[in-house]
Amino acid sequence: MKLSGLGLGAVALSSLGSRVMAKEQGAIAKADRPLSILILGGTGFTGPFQVRYALARGHRVTIFNRGNRSLDWPGPVEELVGDRNEGNLDALKDRQWDVCIDNPTTLPFWVRDAGQVLQGNVGHYVFTSTLSVYASNALPGADETAAILPYTGEDAMAETMETLRANMGLYGPLKAESEREVARWFPDQHTIIRPTLIVGPGDQTDRFTYWPQRLARGGQVLAPGDGSDPVQIIDARDLAEFTIRMAEAQAGGAFNAAGPDYTLSFDAMLHGIRAVTGVAAELNWAPAEFLAEQGINPWSDMPVWIPSQGEYAGFSTWSNAKAIAAGMTFRPFADTVAATLEWFRAQPRERQAEIRAGISAEREAEALAALRAWS
């Protein structure tokens, strides 16, 4: 165990994150009651924003993870080391917290093991899940009462990261089963938060980042569909703040953490990004059938985009009314774009050169040439 504070971490998450929170903390009111909060994880994508916001609200924070990353914090943070994948939770034994926030869990046995140690020792359990737990994306505007996926394998507790990587179709069912495991151990003391695609500074997947960096290059841009397909995203900072507010409220139930609080089309998203970059970029809209002919896939090759038809007619239209009523807020879209670009441009040159989502410039040029002939 170690106690870290300002200046004691070896590597900061990013200078951007520190500057953003330093600027915002002056306007953050203290919570009515300071809590002791245990965060399982804490050094990944959303975790550092949770820690900083919790500290700004006056809470006492403990993080538990493998200790592979040391970050600078704007206040005292207790750091406990263990490995849930190896069943090493000794550092959590015989300790008590008001709230536990479980960030990284995909495997149900991680929840089971945490429940065995923390049941009776935490007042409330907040679990970060995903919209991928829902059994169907066919109904536009569905809410938290929609059915979630069943797990149909032999033994959910025997699933590992290796079996998940071998079959990514297990992701949603295992998250859904993890939700059920939370309910088993903390039946009247849990909150489930189901985010949509999490974006913003620090996102290592580049799924959203592809578009700001692409439009910032300017020129002829391959854009999917006709621009009308809906988009739902949530800034990691907004998700972190909502999670801490839910920890404070200790309200039970499930909440769809999807933004923004208005209907956002793909066309509006790309035009909004272009406005922030200030770079001349011409959008070339490519019909879904053309992209399919070219072997250009939704979501992976054209990140954030899924054609809103058939079994995906309700994709990116999930109701967020319950979460908004519970206090979820959203910063301006332009803030998310600007912060994402600033973070990405601060990465090493080799990292920027290996964008992890979308298509290469060469593949895009080939597709644009084919689109002109196809039209």
Side-chain angles (χ1 to χ4, degrees), residues 98-138:
D98 294 313
V99 180
C100 172
I101 298 173
D102 187 347
N103 282 327
T105 292
T106 298
L107 301 175
F109 85 83
W110 285 19
V111 178
R112 178 201 63 196
D113 292 354
Q116 290 172 346
V117 174
L118 296 175
Q119 187 183 52
N121 290 319
V122 296
H124 201 79
Y125 200 93
V126 180
F127 182 71
T128 304
S129 187
T130 170
L131 288 179
S132 296
V133 299
Y134 287 113
S136 172
N137 280 287

mmCIF file of all heavy atoms in Angstrom, residues 98-138:
data_model
loop_
_atom_site.group_PDB
_atom_site.id
_atom_site.type_symbol
_atom_site.label_atom_id
_atom_site.label_comp_id
_atom_site.label_asym_id
_atom_site.label_seq_id
_atom_site.Cartn_x
_atom_site.Cartn_y
_atom_site.Cartn_z
ATOM 1 N N ASP A 98 -17.427 3.438 1.878
ATOM 2 C CA ASP A 98 -18.829 3.795 1.660
ATOM 3 C C ASP A 98 -19.320 3.298 0.304
ATOM 4 O O ASP A 98 -20.459 2.836 0.175
ATOM 5 C CB ASP A 98 -19.003 5.322 1.723
ATOM 6 C CG ASP A 98 -18.736 5.885 3.107
ATOM 7 O OD1 ASP A 98 -19.264 5.323 4.085
ATOM 8 O OD2 ASP A 98 -17.990 6.878 3.203
ATOM 9 N N VAL A 99 -18.451 3.407 -0.712
ATOM 10 C CA VAL A 99 -18.831 3.041 -2.078
ATOM 11 C C VAL A 99 -17.657 2.363 -2.765
ATOM 12 O O VAL A 99 -16.499 2.745 -2.567
ATOM 13 C CB VAL A 99 -19.238 4.284 -2.905
ATOM 14 C CG1 VAL A 99 -19.633 3.879 -4.328
ATOM 15 C CG2 VAL A 99 -20.377 5.034 -2.245
ATOM 16 N N CYS A 100 -17.964 1.358 -3.586
ATOM 17 C CA CYS A 100 -16.983 0.760 -4.480
ATOM 18 C C CYS A 100 -17.425 1.027 -5.919
ATOM 19 O O CYS A 100 -18.588 0.799 -6.259
ATOM 20 C CB CYS A 100 -16.856 -0.742 -4.246
ATOM 21 S SG CYS A 100 -15.825 -1.596 -5.474
ATOM 22 N N ILE A 101 -16.504 1.514 -6.754
ATOM 23 C CA ILE A 101 -16.759 1.699 -8.187
ATOM 24 C C ILE A 101 -15.927 0.667 -8.931
ATOM 25 O O ILE A 101 -14.703 0.656 -8.836
ATOM 26 C CB ILE A 101 -16.382 3.121 -8.639
ATOM 27 C CG1 ILE A 101 -17.240 4.160 -7.921
ATOM 28 C CG2 ILE A 101 -16.531 3.252 -10.158
ATOM 29 C CD1 ILE A 101 -16.817 5.597 -8.177
ATOM 30 N N ASP A 102 -16.590 -0.202 -9.676
ATOM 31 C CA ASP A 102 -15.930 -1.286 -10.410
ATOM 32 C C ASP A 102 -15.848 -0.898 -11.881
ATOM 33 O O ASP A 102 -16.823 -0.971 -12.612
ATOM 34 C CB ASP A 102 -16.730 -2.578 -10.224
ATOM 35 C CG ASP A 102 -16.038 -3.801 -10.812
ATOM 36 O OD1 ASP A 102 -15.073 -3.627 -11.567
ATOM 37 O OD2 ASP A 102 -16.478 -4.919 -10.521
ATOM 38 N N ASN A 103 -14.662 -0.471 -12.321
ATOM 39 C CA ASN A 103 -14.486 0.015 -13.687
ATOM 40 C C ASN A 103 -14.160 -1.051 -14.731
ATOM 41 O O ASN A 103 -14.739 -1.053 -15.804
ATOM 42 C CB ASN A 103 -13.384 1.089 -13.738
ATOM 43 C CG ASN A 103 -13.869 2.431 -13.247
ATOM 44 O OD1 ASN A 103 -15.017 2.784 -13.420
ATOM 45 N ND2 ASN A 103 -12.992 3.188 -12.621
ATOM 46 N N PRO A 104 -13.171 -1.935 -14.479
ATOM 47 C CA PRO A 104 -12.628 -2.705 -15.600
ATOM 48 C C PRO A 104 -13.248 -4.068 -15.856
ATOM 49 O O PRO A 104 -12.834 -4.753 -16.789
ATOM 50 C CB PRO A 104 -11.158 -2.882 -15.177
ATOM 51 C CG PRO A 104 -11.214 -3.000 -13.690
ATOM 52 C CD PRO A 104 -12.368 -2.127 -13.258
ATOM 53 N N THR A 105 -14.232 -4.474 -15.055
ATOM 54 C CA THR A 105 -14.685 -5.867 -15.120
ATOM 55 C C THR A 105 -15.416 -6.217 -16.406
ATOM 56 O O THR A 105 -16.380 -5.553 -16.793
ATOM 57 C CB THR A 105 -15.594 -6.182 -13.919
ATOM 58 O OG1 THR A 105 -14.816 -6.150 -12.733
ATOM 59 C CG2 THR A 105 -16.221 -7.560 -14.063
ATOM 60 N N THR A 106 -14.967 -7.282 -17.049
ATOM 61 C CA THR A 106 -15.701 -7.939 -18.121
ATOM 62 C C THR A 106 -16.034 -9.370 -17.741
ATOM 63 O O THR A 106 -17.052 -9.915 -18.158
ATOM 64 C CB THR A 106 -14.883 -7.934 -19.424
ATOM 65 O OG1 THR A 106 -14.652 -6.581 -19.818
ATOM 66 C CG2 THR A 106 -15.620 -8.652 -20.545
ATOM 67 N N LEU A 107 -15.203 -9.975 -16.914
ATOM 68 C CA LEU A 107 -15.360 -11.382 -16.549
ATOM 69 C C LEU A 107 -16.158 -11.525 -15.254
ATOM 70 O O LEU A 107 -15.831 -10.905 -14.238
ATOM 71 C CB LEU A 107 -13.985 -12.029 -16.372
ATOM 72 C CG LEU A 107 -13.081 -11.969 -17.614
ATOM 73 C CD1 LEU A 107 -11.706 -12.534 -17.282
ATOM 74 C CD2 LEU A 107 -13.706 -12.719 -18.785
ATOM 75 N N PRO A 108 -17.194 -12.348 -15.259
ATOM 76 C CA PRO A 108 -18.041 -12.494 -14.070
ATOM 77 C C PRO A 108 -17.286 -12.935 -12.815
ATOM 78 O O PRO A 108 -17.659 -12.529 -11.707
ATOM 79 C CB PRO A 108 -19.065 -13.547 -14.501
ATOM 80 C CG PRO A 108 -19.165 -13.380 -15.981
ATOM 81 C CD PRO A 108 -17.772 -13.052 -16.428
ATOM 82 N N PHE A 109 -16.227 -13.728 -12.953
ATOM 83 C CA PHE A 109 -15.555 -14.189 -11.738
ATOM 84 C C PHE A 109 -14.835 -13.054 -11.037
ATOM 85 O O PHE A 109 -14.572 -13.130 -9.836
ATOM 86 C CB PHE A 109 -14.623 -15.378 -12.026
ATOM 87 C CG PHE A 109 -13.234 -15.057 -12.507
ATOM 88 C CD1 PHE A 109 -12.231 -14.744 -11.594
ATOM 89 C CD2 PHE A 109 -12.917 -15.118 -13.852
ATOM 90 C CE1 PHE A 109 -10.932 -14.482 -12.031
ATOM 91 C CE2 PHE A 109 -11.628 -14.865 -14.291
ATOM 92 C CZ PHE A 109 -10.634 -14.531 -13.382
ATOM 93 N N TRP A 110 -14.532 -11.976 -11.760
ATOM 94 C CA TRP A 110 -13.950 -10.814 -11.097
ATOM 95 C C TRP A 110 -14.964 -10.211 -10.113
ATOM 96 O O TRP A 110 -14.593 -9.797 -9.020
ATOM 97 C CB TRP A 110 -13.552 -9.765 -12.129
ATOM 98 C CG TRP A 110 -12.306 -10.083 -12.897
ATOM 99 C CD1 TRP A 110 -11.721 -11.302 -13.047
ATOM 100 C CD2 TRP A 110 -11.501 -9.163 -13.634
ATOM 101 N NE1 TRP A 110 -10.610 -11.211 -13.831
ATOM 102 C CE2 TRP A 110 -10.441 -9.905 -14.211
ATOM 103 C CE3 TRP A 110 -11.571 -7.806 -13.876
ATOM 104 C CZ2 TRP A 110 -9.458 -9.307 -15.009
ATOM 105 C CZ3 TRP A 110 -10.595 -7.211 -14.675
ATOM 106 C CH2 TRP A 110 -9.556 -7.952 -15.219
ATOM 107 N N VAL A 111 -16.244 -10.149 -10.514
ATOM 108 C CA VAL A 111 -17.287 -9.638 -9.616
ATOM 109 C C VAL A 111 -17.492 -10.603 -8.457
ATOM 110 O O VAL A 111 -17.603 -10.190 -7.300
ATOM 111 C CB VAL A 111 -18.608 -9.421 -10.370
ATOM 112 C CG1 VAL A 111 -19.691 -8.931 -9.399
ATOM 113 C CG2 VAL A 111 -18.433 -8.423 -11.496
ATOM 114 N N ARG A 112 -17.535 -11.894 -8.755
ATOM 115 C CA ARG A 112 -17.719 -12.891 -7.694
ATOM 116 C C ARG A 112 -16.637 -12.758 -6.626
ATOM 117 O O ARG A 112 -16.942 -12.714 -5.419
ATOM 118 C CB ARG A 112 -17.686 -14.295 -8.291
ATOM 119 C CG ARG A 112 -17.823 -15.424 -7.268
ATOM 120 C CD ARG A 112 -17.287 -16.732 -7.830
ATOM 121 N NE ARG A 112 -15.845 -16.644 -8.113
ATOM 122 C CZ ARG A 112 -15.180 -17.506 -8.889
ATOM 123 N NH1 ARG A 112 -15.825 -18.503 -9.472
ATOM 124 N NH2 ARG A 112 -13.883 -17.359 -9.080
ATOM 125 N N ASP A 113 -15.383 -12.673 -7.059
ATOM 126 C CA ASP A 113 -14.283 -12.594 -6.099
ATOM 127 C C ASP A 113 -14.332 -11.298 -5.300
ATOM 128 O O ASP A 113 -14.074 -11.293 -4.087
ATOM 129 C CB ASP A 113 -12.945 -12.707 -6.827
ATOM 130 C CG ASP A 113 -12.717 -14.091 -7.423
ATOM 131 O OD1 ASP A 113 -13.544 -14.988 -7.175
ATOM 132 O OD2 ASP A 113 -11.704 -14.263 -8.136
ATOM 133 N N ALA A 114 -14.673 -10.187 -5.972
ATOM 134 C CA ALA A 114 -14.803 -8.925 -5.262
ATOM 135 C C ALA A 114 -15.956 -8.987 -4.269
ATOM 136 O O ALA A 114 -15.854 -8.484 -3.141
ATOM 137 C CB ALA A 114 -15.010 -7.785 -6.252
ATOM 138 N N GLY A 115 -17.068 -9.616 -4.691
ATOM 139 C CA GLY A 115 -18.210 -9.744 -3.790
ATOM 140 C C GLY A 115 -17.877 -10.532 -2.543
ATOM 141 O O GLY A 115 -18.323 -10.183 -1.440
ATOM 142 N N GLN A 116 -17.099 -11.581 -2.689
ATOM 143 C CA GLN A 116 -16.722 -12.393 -1.533
ATOM 144 C C GLN A 116 -15.944 -11.585 -0.506
ATOM 145 O O GLN A 116 -16.061 -11.813 0.703
ATOM 146 C CB GLN A 116 -15.901 -13.597 -1.993
ATOM 147 C CG GLN A 116 -16.709 -14.629 -2.769
ATOM 148 C CD GLN A 116 -15.844 -15.728 -3.375
ATOM 149 O OE1 GLN A 116 -14.624 -15.602 -3.441
ATOM 150 N NE2 GLN A 116 -16.475 -16.807 -3.823
ATOM 151 N N VAL A 117 -15.151 -10.640 -0.972
ATOM 152 C CA VAL A 117 -14.328 -9.827 -0.082
ATOM 153 C C VAL A 117 -15.070 -8.582 0.424
ATOM 154 O O VAL A 117 -14.945 -8.205 1.587
ATOM 155 C CB VAL A 117 -13.030 -9.404 -0.789
ATOM 156 C CG1 VAL A 117 -12.222 -8.433 0.069
ATOM 157 C CG2 VAL A 117 -12.187 -10.625 -1.133
ATOM 158 N N LEU A 118 -15.876 -7.971 -0.455
ATOM 159 C CA LEU A 118 -16.439 -6.656 -0.152
ATOM 160 C C LEU A 118 -17.873 -6.689 0.369
ATOM 161 O O LEU A 118 -18.344 -5.685 0.919
ATOM 162 C CB LEU A 118 -16.385 -5.769 -1.398
ATOM 163 C CG LEU A 118 -14.982 -5.434 -1.911
ATOM 164 C CD1 LEU A 118 -15.060 -4.656 -3.215
ATOM 165 C CD2 LEU A 118 -14.202 -4.639 -0.868
ATOM 166 N N GLN A 119 -18.573 -7.822 0.216
ATOM 167 C CA GLN A 119 -19.944 -7.873 0.723
ATOM 168 C C GLN A 119 -19.950 -7.584 2.219
ATOM 169 O O GLN A 119 -19.217 -8.195 2.993
ATOM 170 C CB GLN A 119 -20.559 -9.239 0.460
ATOM 171 C CG GLN A 119 -22.052 -9.306 0.806
ATOM 172 C CD GLN A 119 -22.618 -10.703 0.592
ATOM 173 O OE1 GLN A 119 -22.068 -11.682 1.093
ATOM 174 N NE2 GLN A 119 -23.702 -10.802 -0.168
ATOM 175 N N GLY A 120 -20.768 -6.629 2.627
ATOM 176 C CA GLY A 120 -20.823 -6.226 4.025
ATOM 177 C C GLY A 120 -19.775 -5.196 4.408
ATOM 178 O O GLY A 120 -19.820 -4.647 5.514
ATOM 179 N N ASN A 121 -18.847 -4.914 3.480
ATOM 180 C CA ASN A 121 -17.780 -3.956 3.773
ATOM 181 C C ASN A 121 -17.838 -2.708 2.906
ATOM 182 O O ASN A 121 -17.009 -1.811 3.075
ATOM 183 C CB ASN A 121 -16.408 -4.626 3.608
ATOM 184 C CG ASN A 121 -16.138 -5.644 4.695
ATOM 185 O OD1 ASN A 121 -16.441 -5.415 5.861
ATOM 186 N ND2 ASN A 121 -15.589 -6.786 4.314
ATOM 187 N N VAL A 122 -18.785 -2.665 1.963
ATOM 188 C CA VAL A 122 -19.038 -1.438 1.205
ATOM 189 C C VAL A 122 -20.525 -1.140 1.276
ATOM 190 O O VAL A 122 -21.359 -2.049 1.253
ATOM 191 C CB VAL A 122 -18.575 -1.543 -0.269
ATOM 192 C CG1 VAL A 122 -17.066 -1.715 -0.354
ATOM 193 C CG2 VAL A 122 -19.295 -2.646 -1.004
ATOM 194 N N GLY A 123 -20.849 0.138 1.358
ATOM 195 C CA GLY A 123 -22.251 0.510 1.460
ATOM 196 C C GLY A 123 -22.987 0.418 0.137
ATOM 197 O O GLY A 123 -24.199 0.174 0.114
ATOM 198 N N HIS A 124 -22.256 0.608 -0.968
ATOM 199 C CA HIS A 124 -22.896 0.604 -2.283
ATOM 200 C C HIS A 124 -21.870 0.199 -3.321
ATOM 201 O O HIS A 124 -20.675 0.493 -3.181
ATOM 202 C CB HIS A 124 -23.458 1.991 -2.611
ATOM 203 C CG HIS A 124 -24.527 1.993 -3.659
ATOM 204 N ND1 HIS A 124 -25.827 1.635 -3.392
ATOM 205 C CD2 HIS A 124 -24.494 2.301 -4.983
ATOM 206 C CE1 HIS A 124 -26.549 1.733 -4.500
ATOM 207 N NE2 HIS A 124 -25.754 2.132 -5.481
ATOM 208 N N TYR A 125 -22.328 -0.470 -4.384
ATOM 209 C CA TYR A 125 -21.458 -0.977 -5.436
ATOM 210 C C TYR A 125 -21.911 -0.399 -6.764
ATOM 211 O O TYR A 125 -23.060 -0.601 -7.182
ATOM 212 C CB TYR A 125 -21.524 -2.502 -5.481
ATOM 213 C CG TYR A 125 -20.382 -3.202 -6.170
ATOM 214 C CD1 TYR A 125 -19.281 -3.652 -5.450
ATOM 215 C CD2 TYR A 125 -20.402 -3.441 -7.544
ATOM 216 C CE1 TYR A 125 -18.230 -4.331 -6.070
ATOM 217 C CE2 TYR A 125 -19.365 -4.114 -8.176
ATOM 218 C CZ TYR A 125 -18.282 -4.553 -7.425
ATOM 219 O OH TYR A 125 -17.246 -5.222 -8.053
ATOM 220 N N VAL A 126 -21.038 0.355 -7.424
ATOM 221 C CA VAL A 126 -21.349 0.953 -8.717
ATOM 222 C C VAL A 126 -20.571 0.202 -9.789
ATOM 223 O O VAL A 126 -19.341 0.144 -9.744
ATOM 224 C CB VAL A 126 -20.976 2.444 -8.745
ATOM 225 C CG1 VAL A 126 -21.320 3.051 -10.111
ATOM 226 C CG2 VAL A 126 -21.694 3.200 -7.630
ATOM 227 N N PHE A 127 -21.283 -0.367 -10.740
ATOM 228 C CA PHE A 127 -20.659 -1.204 -11.760
ATOM 229 C C PHE A 127 -20.728 -0.523 -13.118
ATOM 230 O O PHE A 127 -21.808 -0.138 -13.580
ATOM 231 C CB PHE A 127 -21.355 -2.564 -11.843
ATOM 232 C CG PHE A 127 -20.756 -3.506 -12.838
ATOM 233 C CD1 PHE A 127 -19.517 -4.085 -12.608
ATOM 234 C CD2 PHE A 127 -21.416 -3.802 -14.028
ATOM 235 C CE1 PHE A 127 -18.945 -4.951 -13.533
ATOM 236 C CE2 PHE A 127 -20.860 -4.672 -14.953
ATOM 237 C CZ PHE A 127 -19.617 -5.247 -14.706
ATOM 238 N N THR A 128 -19.574 -0.380 -13.775
ATOM 239 C CA THR A 128 -19.524 0.183 -15.122
ATOM 240 C C THR A 128 -19.741 -0.927 -16.137
ATOM 241 O O THR A 128 -18.879 -1.780 -16.330
ATOM 242 C CB THR A 128 -18.179 0.875 -15.384
ATOM 243 O OG1 THR A 128 -17.958 1.878 -14.377
ATOM 244 C CG2 THR A 128 -18.179 1.531 -16.755
ATOM 245 N N SER A 129 -20.881 -0.909 -16.783
ATOM 246 C CA SER A 129 -21.232 -1.929 -17.760
ATOM 247 C C SER A 129 -21.128 -1.340 -19.161
ATOM 248 O O SER A 129 -20.182 -0.606 -19.460
ATOM 249 C CB SER A 129 -22.635 -2.465 -17.468
ATOM 250 O OG SER A 129 -22.950 -3.556 -18.295
ATOM 251 N N THR A 130 -22.081 -1.613 -20.030
ATOM 252 C CA THR A 130 -22.035 -1.167 -21.415
ATOM 253 C C THR A 130 -23.414 -1.320 -22.043
ATOM 254 O O THR A 130 -24.205 -2.187 -21.638
ATOM 255 C CB THR A 130 -21.018 -2.003 -22.223
ATOM 256 O OG1 THR A 130 -21.147 -1.702 -23.611
ATOM 257 C CG2 THR A 130 -21.261 -3.497 -22.036
ATOM 258 N N LEU A 131 -23.708 -0.503 -23.044
ATOM 259 C CA LEU A 131 -24.939 -0.687 -23.809
ATOM 260 C C LEU A 131 -24.926 -1.988 -24.597
ATOM 261 O O LEU A 131 -25.972 -2.443 -25.069
ATOM 262 C CB LEU A 131 -25.151 0.487 -24.776
ATOM 263 C CG LEU A 131 -25.551 1.837 -24.168
ATOM 264 C CD1 LEU A 131 -25.685 2.877 -25.263
ATOM 265 C CD2 LEU A 131 -26.850 1.731 -23.381
ATOM 266 N N SER A 132 -23.758 -2.610 -24.717
ATOM 267 C CA SER A 132 -23.659 -3.879 -25.447
ATOM 268 C C SER A 132 -24.339 -5.031 -24.724
ATOM 269 O O SER A 132 -24.441 -6.127 -25.276
ATOM 270 C CB SER A 132 -22.192 -4.234 -25.684
ATOM 271 O OG SER A 132 -21.573 -3.281 -26.518
ATOM 272 N N VAL A 133 -24.832 -4.814 -23.496
ATOM 273 C CA VAL A 133 -25.524 -5.902 -22.793
ATOM 274 C C VAL A 133 -26.929 -6.129 -23.352
ATOM 275 O O VAL A 133 -27.518 -7.190 -23.121
ATOM 276 C CB VAL A 133 -25.644 -5.640 -21.272
ATOM 277 C CG1 VAL A 133 -24.278 -5.520 -20.642
ATOM 278 C CG2 VAL A 133 -26.503 -4.415 -20.980
ATOM 279 N N TYR A 134 -27.468 -5.174 -24.104
ATOM 280 C CA TYR A 134 -28.847 -5.316 -24.555
ATOM 281 C C TYR A 134 -28.965 -6.374 -25.646
ATOM 282 O O TYR A 134 -28.101 -6.510 -26.511
ATOM 283 C CB TYR A 134 -29.387 -3.981 -25.046
ATOM 284 C CG TYR A 134 -29.658 -3.016 -23.914
ATOM 285 C CD1 TYR A 134 -28.909 -1.850 -23.763
ATOM 286 C CD2 TYR A 134 -30.648 -3.285 -22.980
ATOM 287 C CE1 TYR A 134 -29.161 -0.974 -22.719
ATOM 288 C CE2 TYR A 134 -30.902 -2.420 -21.922
ATOM 289 C CZ TYR A 134 -30.158 -1.261 -21.794
ATOM 290 O OH TYR A 134 -30.389 -0.410 -20.747
ATOM 291 N N ALA A 135 -30.074 -7.105 -25.579
ATOM 292 C CA ALA A 135 -30.282 -8.231 -26.484
ATOM 293 C C ALA A 135 -30.623 -7.795 -27.901
ATOM 294 O O ALA A 135 -30.459 -8.565 -28.839
ATOM 295 C CB ALA A 135 -31.403 -9.129 -25.942
ATOM 296 N N SER A 136 -31.110 -6.568 -28.081
ATOM 297 C CA SER A 136 -31.519 -6.117 -29.403
ATOM 298 C C SER A 136 -31.227 -4.632 -29.579
ATOM 299 O O SER A 136 -31.348 -3.850 -28.629
ATOM 300 C CB SER A 136 -33.016 -6.369 -29.610
ATOM 301 O OG SER A 136 -33.474 -5.778 -30.813
ATOM 302 N N ASN A 137 -30.843 -4.260 -30.794
ATOM 303 C CA ASN A 137 -30.689 -2.856 -31.181
ATOM 304 C C ASN A 137 -31.733 -2.457 -32.217
ATOM 305 O O ASN A 137 -31.566 -1.462 -32.916
ATOM 306 C CB ASN A 137 -29.288 -2.629 -31.762
ATOM 307 C CG ASN A 137 -28.227 -2.481 -30.692
ATOM 308 O OD1 ASN A 137 -28.152 -1.459 -30.012
ATOM 309 N ND2 ASN A 137 -27.413 -3.513 -30.535
ATOM 310 N N ALA A 138 -32.789 -3.224 -32.318
ATOM 311 C CA ALA A 138 -33.755 -3.021 -33.397
ATOM 312 C C ALA A 138 -34.794 -1.945 -33.096
ATOM 313 O O ALA A 138 -35.389 -1.380 -34.025
ATOM 314 C CB ALA A 138 -34.473 -4.334 -33.710
#
